Amino acid sequence: MNQEVGKKEPGEVTTLYNEFETWTVNTGGQTIHAKRMPGFFRSFKDKAQLAMWLPFFLVPYLRWNGSQAILFDIQHRQFKFFGLTVLPQDIWMLSLVLLVAAMTLFAVTSVASRVWCGYFCFQTAWTDWFTWLEDKIEGNPTARRKLDVAPWTFDKIKKKLIKHTLWMLIALLTGISFSIWFVDAFEYWHDLIHLQLPTVGWVVIVMFFLGTYILAGFLREQTCFWLCPYARIQGVMTDNQTILPTYDYTRGEPRGKIRRGGEAVAPQGDCIDCFQCVQVCPTGVDIRNGQQLGCITCGLCIDACDVVMDKINKPRGLIRYASLDELSGKPAKKIYQHPRTLVYLSIILLALVGIVWGLTHMGAMTLKIVHERQPLFVQMSDGSIQNKFDFKVLNKTDKDFRVKVTAEGGVKGLVIIGAEQHPMTHHGRGTSFTIFARAPAANVEKDVVPIQFRVESLDDAKVFAEYTSKFYGPNK
Amino acid sequence: MSDKHDASSVPTTGHVWDDDLGDYINQPPKWWMLGLTVSAIWCVVYFLYYPSIPLSNGGTWFKGVGGWTAITEMEADKSVVDEVRGKYEAKLKDMTPAAILADSELTEYVTRSGKVLFGDNCAACHGQNGVGTHDKFGLFAPILNDDDWLYGGTIDAIHETIQGGRQGMMMAHADMLSEAEIDTLANAVAAGKPTSTPLFAEKGCTACHGEDGKGMQAMGSANLTDSVWRFDGSVEGIKYTIKNGVNAGTPDTRVAVMPAFQGSKLSDAEIKKLAVYVYKFGGGQAQ
């Protein structure tokens, strides 16, 4: 690659396209049959995928106080998280959660490149499981390539049938597991078995079935190449300080085969051009061309290369996690010298503070008060001044309860009228009622006085909400 | 995609621009042609299904085979709303206004729709939210959100007022009383103490306004001791009222007429809603 580029003067626009001429990208015409080799990154990937996605299948069955522990109950517009119920009014916290997720992705990418893509992404994980099954059923990559072009014998049909059936079962389970995050898991299974799902339920399950089966079974690395936006975003997040699986070209070049027992014909680098790194790559790229769009940085080529280096008695790490700075001999910078990482981290921190604040200040009740605008106040027959307030109370607990209304501040001798019967508030719903505040005219010294209302559950004094409004009187 | 199809094998139109630019005469892609055909068919179907061609100046037009009209669509939408309201409306039908008031959920429903009814039927005189309106003589229509009621502020009294309307009455006293007497009375009334002058009883004011001057709701006479005024609480304003009366038949008399809304103007349910709505302005009184 570097030799090619070196031919033209740097700065010439045409040098941009030198790489393009030698660049080959598999646009789907060729099925990648990657070899599976054991190693550190192989086992890390296996564990990471399971740790990430086993909960996806299992967590919905978790129960808490007789109902599903974690439930995005769209139908009833609430999010249940163990004892906690989050109503749409508090959903702004979700945007902070998404922000944390996005920024974590960015921060990790800026430090260690596409960690998400390589070890955690559902596309990576499902594809890996699908190809693992393929490997078990149809044999190693060579056998699979042979089988693909072989005539349709009974054996081939049997193998293909088993494989696709298993794939479809996984795909179906994926659709079901996704759905039960949004409806009660056990009720969903009941409805599914009795074929009583609502239309939207069938649409979701079919979409996820087809999506999983096609994306993980057929599109595979093409998804990462052409469909996934993260690949593009994550690609631009790396810079010279980012560590990523890198081919040490200073050590490896010039590459060449070695002959057993024969002496080297010419001075030669450590790369023996054995193509193991390409053969194990799940996206089929050649890491020796440098970091590229197709590389999901899963480290499997590192495993493969290390095995080869051991065999030819060369030190490991011809392909290793290294930054471009390191490779070009520049001193490695510390993480706190990496401004973009620090920016991402500070955004994460801010968002986390927001979430913690939100969760601790969510309260069991929210109160909004609108002061009547016309008229701002009314003079009553005894000369006292009356203000009208529209109360909107949202009961976020799981019980209905009656509330009492009190006020602080305002004017001396203030009376609260309208809540004598203690209005009923229903759980998960907004209740509105009208409250009047009346005070003797003589005590109304200013035309606007702040007044703090408090609405409190009759059952539990800890369930309350406060709101500061204003008490209006005549101009003095 | 480009590798599937070698463009250079296709002839060009023959025109060449800027030395080397030419137009291939490739067919448009299949999906594009399909889109074009489907769009054309869609146009025809749409044209036939919906009203489309004006046939004459007389207002006839091709009605369309689908029978669609804007008004039926509106009716269908309205029936959806009516269905939501239905369960409340059904309950309201057989309930007294007082019973509605006792039900907080119904009260909430009624005050929402009452707002619209009030805006359409009442606000012209009583002002938005019942703040009252003024003309050059003083208050034209009473403020509805205070607790001073000529005919009573209980829910039933308000309901009755809206149903049957009201007509205030007070004789013009310009010819009966001397200027000095009117002046004395007006000053006493303006101070909120009408009984402080013996004239109040002697001249028969008590007949309507009561011995204590607090008015009688049965006949709608005003309470002269409180701080709320029907027309104008200044001495001059009170003098004017005493001299010219209310609805006294003279050209300068004050006018206080509330029309009846029962029958042609509003339905029974609407009147009930309005009664509750007005009651909830803030001046409603317990039975």
Side-chain angles (χ1 to χ4, degrees):
Chain A
M1 175 186 83
N2 292 285
Q3 293 160 344
E4 290 278 318
V5 177
K7 281 178 193 166
K8 292 270 170 73
E9 283 294 310
E12 255 183 71
V13 177
T14 47
T15 58
L16 280 175
Y17 301 102
N18 279 350
E19 280 183 51
F20 180 72
E21 282 165 18
T22 53
W23 202 256
T24 50
V25 176
N26 171 22
T27 54
Q30 167 202 354
T31 309
I32 307 287
H33 285 299
K35 200 165 151 184
R36 295 178 90 86
M37 278 174 94
F40 173 78
F41 289 102
R42 176 74 254 173
S43 64
F44 177 71
K45 185 177 158 82
D46 286 343
K47 284 170 197 150
Q49 282 168 184
L50 272 188
M52 185 80 193
W53 294 108
L54 214 52
F56 168 77
F57 291 101
L58 298 180
V59 165
Y61 302 102
L62 217 59
R63 309 299 281 183
W64 186 262
N65 285 341
S67 61
Q68 194 157 323
I70 299 178
L71 182 64
F72 296 89
D73 195 345
I74 291 179
Q75 201 182 351
H76 301 103
R77 298 180 197 177
Q78 55 186 7
F79 166 42
K80 294 213 161 207
F81 188 81
F82 295 93
L84 194 74
T85 303
V86 183
L87 294 176
Q89 283 77 5
D90 293 312
I91 215 73
W92 58 271
M93 275 184 278
L94 178 68
S95 60
L96 291 186
V97 172
L98 294 178
L99 188 66
V100 168
M103 286 300 144
T104 308
L105 197 74
F106 293 179
V108 169
T109 308
S110 68
V111 173
S113 68
R114 295 164 62 174
V115 172
W116 166 257
C117 297
Y119 309 105
F120 297 101
C121 174
F122 39 83
Q123 178 64 25
T124 304
W126 264 254
T127 303
D128 199 54
W129 296 332
F130 272 41
T131 50
W132 178 78
L133 276 174
E134 203 169 52
D135 202 68
K136 291 282 164 241
I137 296 162
E138 296 181 359
N140 63 32
T142 322
R144 261 137 64 191
R145 280 192 204 98
K146 258 191 205 156
L147 189 72
D148 281 350
V149 292
W152 284 95
T153 58
F154 175 73
D155 186 52
K156 180 174 175 176
I157 293 172
K158 188 185 79 184
K159 280 178 175 169
K160 293 278 176 193
L161 201 66
I162 295 173
K163 181 182 84 174
H164 285 281
T165 311
L166 287 175
W167 281 4
M168 285 186 202
L169 281 177
I170 295 178
L172 193 66
L173 189 62
T174 306
I176 294 169
S177 300
F178 178 81
S179 303
I180 55 179
W181 285 81
F182 299 92
V183 287
D184 188 277
F186 296 97
E187 281 174 28
Y188 181 88
W189 274 103
H190 174 272
D191 289 352
L192 182 71
I193 290 163
H194 293 82
L195 303 177
Q196 286 168 347
L197 283 184
T199 315
V200 62
W202 292 117
V203 170
V204 167
I205 200 169
V206 167
M207 270 171 53
F208 269 79
F209 169 76
L210 288 178
T212 311
Y213 180 60
I214 293 171
L215 287 175
F218 301 94
L219 276 177
R220 295 188 183 169
E221 80 289 343
Q222 296 298 317
T223 313
C224 310
F225 286 7
W226 320 118
L227 282 180
C228 178
Y230 292 133
R232 314 299 166 115
I233 299 171
Q234 299 216 21
V236 299
M237 304 245 131
T238 58
D239 58 17
N240 289 352
Q241 265 178 275
T242 309
I243 57 162
L244 31 80
T246 312
Y247 167 64
D248 188 346
Y249 57 86
T250 53
R251 204 186 119 189
E253 297 296 321
R255 65 184 77 152
K257 300 238 187 290
I258 51 168
R259 263 161 290 164
R260 194 177 289 269
E263 62 265 43
V265 188
Q268 197 172 298
D270 282 355
C271 175
I272 58 166
D273 215 8
C274 64
F275 275 93
Q276 289 299 306
C277 55
V278 181
Q279 286 186 17
V280 295
C281 181
T283 63
V285 302
D286 188 344
I287 192 64
R288 293 174 302 173
N289 289 339
Q291 173 54 217
Q292 55 202 282
L293 176 69
C295 176
I296 56 170
T297 76
C298 60
L300 295 183
C301 50
I302 301 178
D303 285 346
C305 193
D306 282 350
V307 170
V308 173
M309 287 298 115
D310 287 351
K311 272 188 191 154
I312 62 166
N313 291 321
K314 292 275 164 63
R316 290 179 165 206
L318 179 59
I319 303 173
R320 64 176 184 273
Y321 262 101
S323 69
L324 291 180
D325 273 352
E326 184 191 330
L327 223 56
S328 54
K330 288 183 194 152
K333 286 184 189 150
K334 295 283 191 304
I335 195 155
Y336 58 77
Q337 291 169 313
H338 203 187
R340 63 163 66 187
T341 309
L342 297 181
V343 171
Y344 297 144
L345 286 177
S346 47
I347 297 175
I348 291 174
L349 206 64
L350 280 178
L352 283 177
V353 168
I355 294 169
V356 169
W357 186 89
L359 284 177
T360 48
H361 288 72
M362 205 163 59
M365 194 198 273
T366 53
L367 172 64
K368 292 273 183 304
I369 297 175
V370 181
H371 187 284
E372 178 65 66
R373 286 180 178 78
Q374 190 194 22
L376 285 172
F377 61 89
V378 178
Q379 188 187 38
M380 305 309 273
S381 55
D382 60 358
S384 60
I385 302 298
Q386 177 166 294
N387 280 219
K388 184 181 176 190
F389 301 89
D390 276 333
F391 276 51
K392 281 196 176 17
V393 178
L394 177 68
N395 175 350
K396 296 190 200 171
T397 68
D398 49 7
K399 286 193 257 331
D400 296 352
F401 52 72
R402 292 187 173 278
V403 292
K404 62 176 179 187
V405 179
T406 52
E408 253 178 64
V411 183
K412 223 171 69 185
L414 192 88
V415 203
I416 302 295
I417 303 157
E420 296 79 10
Q421 293 166 354
H422 303 298
M424 183 66 141
T425 62
H426 297 279
H427 73 94
R429 261 173 53 188
T431 310
S432 57
F433 49 86
T434 306
I435 294 292
F436 299 101
R438 192 186 292 179
N443 298 346
V444 184
E445 282 159 1
K446 283 200 294 184
D447 51 354
V448 185
V449 190
I451 175 171
Q452 191 179 38
F453 285 100
R454 179 189 172 97
V455 172
E456 188 182 298
S457 163
L458 281 185
D459 305 337
D460 182 358
K462 275 178 286 187
V463 178
F464 70 93
E466 292 179 332
Y467 193 95
T468 305
S469 186
K470 292 188 170 77
F471 186 88
Y472 287 80
N475 280 325
K476 292 271 169 164
Chain B
M1 272 177 220
S2 58
D3 52 6
K4 285 185 190 162
H5 181 71
D6 184 12
S8 57
S9 66
V10 179
T12 69
T13 54
H15 299 287
V16 178
W17 293 269
D18 283 353
D19 300 336
D20 57 355
L21 290 180
D23 261 351
Y24 290 124
I25 50 170
N26 276 313
Q27 284 292 316
K30 236 185 224 121
W31 65 265
W32 192 91
M33 287 304 291
L34 199 67
L36 181 72
T37 318
V38 171
S39 311
I41 295 170
W42 169 254
C43 277
V44 174
V45 170
Y46 195 94
F47 201 77
L48 293 175
Y49 188 82
Y50 286 107
S52 46
I53 317 165
L55 294 176
S56 78
N57 286 336
T60 53
W61 65 92
F62 174 65
K63 298 274 196 300
V65 293
W68 180 91
T69 64
I71 206 81
T72 49
E73 188 173 297
M74 190 277 282
E75 294 289 347
D77 287 353
K78 195 165 156 282
S79 68
V80 176
V81 178
D82 286 343
E83 199 176 319
V84 177
R85 293 176 177 166
K87 62 172 179 172
Y88 297 110
E89 296 289 339
K91 269 198 224 168
L92 288 181
K93 236 172 102 184
D94 303 318
M95 284 172 91
T96 63
I100 296 171
L101 203 55
D103 182 327
S104 63
E105 199 182 341
L106 269 181
T107 303
E108 205 183 318
Y109 169 75
V110 160
T111 43
R112 303 280 167 218
S113 49
K115 192 177 173 67
V116 179
L117 286 170
F118 191 86
D120 288 350
N121 297 287
C122 317
C125 294
H126 289 288
Q128 198 67 38
N129 295 327
V131 294
T133 51
H134 293 74
D135 61 10
K136 60 179 175 172
F137 302 110
L139 191 63
F140 173 66
I143 297 167
L144 298 179
N145 36 35
D146 62 27
D147 62 346
D148 188 34
W149 300 90
L150 292 168
Y151 298 92
T154 63
I155 183 69
D156 288 339
I158 296 170
H159 186 236
E160 195 186 309
T161 304
I162 302 171
Q163 276 183 321
R166 299 289 186 187
Q167 187 150 7
M169 48 168 184
M170 175 166 167
M171 277 183 285
H173 294 80
D175 302 333
M176 302 179 209
L177 301 172
S178 71
E179 193 66 34
E181 287 168 335
I182 291 175
D183 195 60
T184 312
L185 277 169
N187 275 298
V189 170
K193 297 185 181 71
T195 49
S196 61
T197 167
L199 285 174
F200 189 69
E202 283 168 20
K203 297 299 176 187
C205 305
T206 48
C208 294
H209 288 288
E211 302 267 328
D212 51 3
K214 288 189 174 168
M216 297 181 198
Q217 291 184 340
M219 59 171 63
S221 57
N223 181 347
L224 301 177
T225 61
D226 64 17
S227 345
V228 178
W229 297 96
R230 170 62 186 88
F231 299 105
D232 184 349
S234 70
V235 175
E236 282 311 307
I238 294 166
K239 276 173 153 178
Y240 188 94
T241 310
I242 296 174
K243 280 181 191 166
N244 299 303
V246 180
N247 296 337
T250 57
D252 291 335
T253 189
R254 290 194 185 275
V255 178
V257 178
M258 157 101 181
F261 281 84
Q262 195 173 33
S264 57
K265 285 201 180 95
L266 291 173
S267 72
D268 285 349
E270 285 169 332
I271 291 175
K272 281 184 215 171
K273 286 178 188 175
L274 276 173
V276 173
Y277 181 69
V278 169
Y279 182 93
K280 294 297 272 184
F281 272 146
Q285 290 161 347
Q287 302 279 17

